[in-house]
Amino acid sequence: MIRREFTIAEGTILFISAYVLSAGLGIIRQALFNAEFGTGMEASAYYAAFRLPDTIASLISGGALSNAMIPVLLGVRHEEGDTAERRLVNLAATTLTAAVTLIVLICIVFAPFLVRFVIAPGFDSATAALTVALTRIMLAQLILVVISSVAIAVLNARNQFLLTAISIVTHNITMIGGILAARFIPGVGIYGPTCGVVGDALLQLVILWIGLRANRFRLRPVWDLRDAQLRRMLRLLTPNGLSSGVNYAGGIVDTAFASLAREPGALPTLFNAGLLMGVPLRLIGVALAQAAFPRIAASAARGDWARMRKTLGAALAISIILATGAALMLALTGRSLIRLLFERGRFDAAAGDLTSLLLIVYIAGLPAYVATEVLTRGLIALHDTQTPLVTNCAQLMGRIALIWVWLEPWGVVAIPAAFALTSALETLTLGMALRWRMRANVEG
């Protein structure tokens, strides 16, 4: 069962199911967190501390690494066989682990500077000091995340989605445990959920390691920066990772501006709104794109442009239709959901009202967000990771400019408004670029 290969439809259903269960645990986690910490200093420090490790992880892990590795792994296995593929996996794991370890050490040393001048310039000294401490703890997860991401690439390249889905489901379990520890064990406080973040990365690695063993992969240190296939993978990963990093860097931008916003509790309410908006994004855009990508990449590797175009078109149409329906549903039920799920303990009705307003603005761009997931993978299948990087950078610059202008008159609402508008423009640009690349390949 672990090594079973899934079709696109089966994989999509599997990932949607996994994200639904994970979202349920995420809502439980957030309800417990809101009740325990509300919108106070500890909550603000936690949300700000999460941004830097999450951004670094996106540079080399998760979707960025999988998207870069899968086309190369498929090509190596097809042209050179399983032995060459296993060597490439070990090369990637060794190289990326060494690089991330160095990055983690640098960030630990410079965490006070980054928090004070980049992540949360509006925090007072006590909140900033707590943010630095929490940031340093969360950075420890990154080395575990690298190995997990290599495992995800190996399994997904084989269309073996089961353990990847299980690792998604188990997300939030250790963080819930950390929040409960904060509630019932004196003195734990915000360090409970913070350590839970590291525990989550460890649990994910344990689950995915089973899949590597089942496919007879034995991770061993291998070092050869001159290897042609490793360099090919890194050429794809670098712009793709930077592109993902730019996306997550937008979270740092949002955090910095939210720390300067006039509304009390602006950062925690912004995080809660983003959490709810992220549920349909993962269920529709990420799940469908993740399941379809290995076959899109395989069609591109074979030069089967008709099948690739058909798969991309179907994935894009379905994702946009579903996202539009989800946006309308959230617009109608969002305030009731927030009242039902989050308004308890130290998270009061005023915080719920602001969260609801921010959610409405976020979901205006939901169809664009999910379309971008599919379009980006189409370009990556064609080994074009530069275009998504350029569009992401332009989108981030546009967001910064709009928030800078809108923050004073609009308050924290400026942040999701800028995100929705610039995301829609980015989606249109990616669509035109993919159409041009597909036409060039067909005619070539």
Side-chain angles (χ1 to χ4, degrees), residues 36-37 42 177-193:
E36 185 68 21
F37 300 105
E42 288 184 315
I179 297 169
L180 293 176
R183 173 169 294 185
F184 296 111
I185 302 176
V188 172
I190 197 64
Y191 289 97

Side-chain angles (χ1 to χ4, degrees), residues 17 90 114 158 227 248 273 293 299 329 343 368 411 435:
S17 300
N90 283 320
L114 293 170
R158 287 165 163 72
D227 183 86
Y248 282 82
F293 180 62
S299 297
M329 184 176 297
E343 283 185 22
R435 183 179 180 182

Side-chain angles (χ1 to χ4, degrees), residues 25-37 179 183 272 275 340-345 347:
L25 287 173
I27 288 171
I28 294 172
R29 178 210 71 205
Q30 199 61 32
L32 292 171
F33 187 95
N34 287 342
E36 185 68 21
F37 300 105
I179 297 169
R183 173 169 294 185
N272 277 270
L275 175 70
L340 174 66
L341 299 174
F342 295 155
E343 283 185 22
R344 54 179 52 85
F347 198 89

Side-chain angles (χ1 to χ4, degrees), residues 98-157:
V100 170
T101 300
L102 178 61
I103 292 171
V104 167
L105 292 175
I106 292 173
C107 288
I108 287 174
V109 171
F110 290 98
F113 173 85
L114 293 170
V115 169
R116 177 66 183 85
F117 295 101
V118 179
I119 299 174
F123 280 178
D124 58 41
S125 58
T127 307
L130 180 58
T131 303
V132 170
L134 301 184
T135 298
R136 286 171 167 164
I137 294 172
M138 291 188 195
L139 284 167
Q141 69 171 313
L142 295 177
I143 298 172
L144 303 174
V145 170
V146 171
I147 306 301
S148 294
S149 299
V150 170
I152 289 172
V154 170
L155 298 177
N156 287 4

Side-chain angles (χ1 to χ4, degrees), residues 14-24 168-169 282-283 286-287 290:
L14 183 64
F15 281 127
I16 287 176
S17 300
Y19 283 122
V20 167
L21 293 173
S22 177
I168 293 170
V169 171
R282 289 191 298 273
L283 294 182
V286 177
Q290 195 169 0

Side-chain angles (χ1 to χ4, degrees), residues 254-339:
D254 293 347
T255 298
F257 278 114
S259 74
L260 298 168
R262 62 174 181 263
E263 296 93 342
L267 180 54
T269 53
L270 184 71
F271 185 92
N272 277 270
L275 175 70
L276 288 176
M277 183 271 295
V279 171
L281 174 58
R282 289 191 298 273
L283 294 182
I284 300 168
V286 177
L288 197 155
Q290 195 169 0
F293 180 62
R295 284 179 169 79
I296 293 172
S299 297
R302 295 191 302 267
D304 189 349
W305 308 119
R307 181 173 293 275
M308 181 181 175
R309 183 165 51 245
K310 181 179 179 181
T311 304
L312 272 170
L316 189 62
I318 292 171
S319 64
I320 291 175
I321 291 170
L322 293 177
T324 302
L328 292 173
M329 184 176 297
L330 270 179
L332 294 173
T333 64
R335 185 64 185 91
S336 298
L337 282 173
I338 292 167
R339 184 179 299 109

Side-chain angles (χ1 to χ4, degrees), residues 374-439:
V374 177
L375 294 171
T376 298
R377 283 167 174 81
L379 288 165
I380 293 170
L382 297 172
H383 291 202
D384 179 4
T385 52
Q386 289 81 17
T387 298
L389 174 60
V390 171
T391 60
N392 279 353
C393 289
Q395 191 257 6
L396 180 60
M397 293 302 101
R399 281 169 68 182
I400 292 172
L402 290 176
I403 296 172
W404 185 271
V405 173
W406 291 344
L407 188 65
E408 180 64 29
W410 291 7
V412 72
V413 172
I415 297 173
F419 181 60
L421 177 57
T422 55
S423 294
L425 295 174
E426 181 187 18
T427 301
L428 291 173
T429 305
L430 287 171
M432 290 187 290
L434 179 57
R435 183 179 180 182
W436 179 83
R437 287 298 304 271
M438 288 290 295
R439 181 179 298 175

